[in-house]
Amino acid sequence: MEAYAPRYVINGSLPPHPPTYLPSSIFYDQEIQMESWISEAVIHPQGGASSAEKLPFEEGSVQLLSAATALHWFDLDTFLPEARRVLCVNGVMAVYGYLNMKPLLNDPVKATEVDELFIKYNKVLEPHHVVSRVSLLHNRYKDVKFPFEEVNRYPDVRCTFEGKLPDIVNYVSTWSGYQNFKKVDSKGAEELLDFFRKRLYEIASACNISPEDSTTLYRDFQLILCRKTQDGPFV
């Protein structure tokens, strides 16, 4: 999580309040207004290690608060009022997360096979997921009631970047479900990951992509932008 307080910029000026969209540098190539706004921002001077449920910021001192693939791990009954407390009027909270990292394949049949591989992998891990947490992310945070006057949802924002197939294997090995599975059945977890690796490499090989090749990967984000337009608790 990051908190930005543009009132502390070097030149001492306070930029206009942020519009209801995220910096273009994260998702898009074109220049948009938010990019110039955030370029003047600095990390909040009161920042430091803390729990999301007890933010170390003064009331109304933050203009942009972000939570990246993390909201589902928070105690939302405590965090959301706390987020509202620290945001200033017209401050924005940006919540975003993604479910998978995949290779961008030109062959739609092979792309579908990658989708099916992820479904199989996730199915095995289902008993080991913290269901109440992961389901929030899988549902794109649709069940979360954000206590803000303006809430804008953007369910499909694609981010592409260069990487390698082993990056995907490493990524799925970090899932909480996999880590929990590994604690109770280390051999079974390793066999599952090995199956995932071999099948992914097999599919990619049909598209002339090897594990050593640099290739285009992508993540599909869900993005929620919340703006606080009034002081006080949300009614």
Side-chain angles (χ1 to χ4, degrees):
M1 177 183 297
E2 297 284 1
Y4 296 90
R7 65 191 61 192
Y8 294 101
V9 294
I10 294 174
N11 63 11
S13 63
L14 178 64
H17 66 73
T20 53
Y21 39 75
L22 208 62
S24 62
S25 57
I26 296 179
F27 299 119
Y28 303 106
D29 292 331
Q30 68 266 31
E31 296 289 325
I32 56 177
Q33 180 183 352
M34 184 80 171
E35 187 169 284
S36 62
W37 179 83
I38 200 172
S39 68
E40 298 184 41
V42 294
I43 300 296
H44 199 293
Q46 294 176 336
S50 69
S51 70
E53 294 79 11
K54 192 173 182 180
L55 299 174
F57 311 123
E58 294 179 2
E59 183 174 339
S61 67
V62 173
Q63 285 196 333
L64 175 62
L65 186 69
S66 66
T69 318
L71 186 75
H72 49 291
W73 295 112
F74 299 163
D75 178 345
L76 297 183
D77 290 339
T78 305
F79 167 70
L80 291 175
E82 183 71 348
R84 183 176 177 86
R85 178 188 69 80
V86 302
L87 282 175
C88 64
V89 172
N90 284 319
V92 169
M93 179 173 72
V95 173
Y96 48 103
Y98 63 93
L99 292 172
N100 296 315
M101 178 196 302
K102 299 177 181 178
L104 189 62
L105 304 178
N106 293 325
D107 185 334
V109 173
K110 295 303 176 184
T112 298
E113 290 180 6
V114 171
D115 292 340
E116 292 171 347
L117 173 61
F118 270 86
I119 291 171
K120 288 180 180 178
Y121 182 80
N122 196 55
K123 189 70 175 177
V124 176
L125 295 181
E126 267 185 4
H128 307 284
H129 282 308
V130 183
V131 177
S132 61
R133 301 290 188 175
V134 176
S135 63
L136 282 176
L137 180 60
H138 279 241
N139 291 334
R140 300 171 181 266
Y141 302 132
K142 290 179 181 177
D143 299 328
V144 178
K145 306 299 182 183
F146 293 97
F148 296 95
E149 289 77 17
E150 295 181 11
V151 178
N152 295 292
R153 295 175 182 268
Y154 304 88
D156 295 298
V157 182
R158 177 157 294 186
C159 174
T160 59
F161 54 97
E162 291 302 301
K164 296 183 178 181
L165 297 177
D167 296 334
I168 299 175
V169 179
N170 290 338
Y171 160 66
V172 299
S173 73
T174 67
W175 288 7
S176 59
Y178 178 81
Q179 293 298 320
N180 291 335
F181 184 24
K182 191 174 181 179
K183 290 177 183 177
V184 298
D185 185 356
S186 178
K187 182 179 179 182
E190 290 175 3
E191 289 176 349
L192 174 64
L193 189 63
D194 190 51
F195 160 77
F196 181 93
R197 179 189 297 106
K198 289 179 179 178
R199 181 63 181 136
L200 177 66
Y201 291 0
E202 178 185 9
I203 297 169
S205 177
C207 299
N208 298 314
I209 301 172
S210 76
E212 294 77 27
D213 293 335
S214 179
T215 189
T216 301
L217 308 180
Y218 74 90
R219 299 186 182 107
D220 284 334
F221 284 80
Q222 49 270 0
L223 167 66
I224 300 103
L225 294 171
C226 308
R227 187 202 293 277
K228 172 184 172 180
T229 63
Q230 300 177 19
D231 267 329
F234 179 70
V235 179

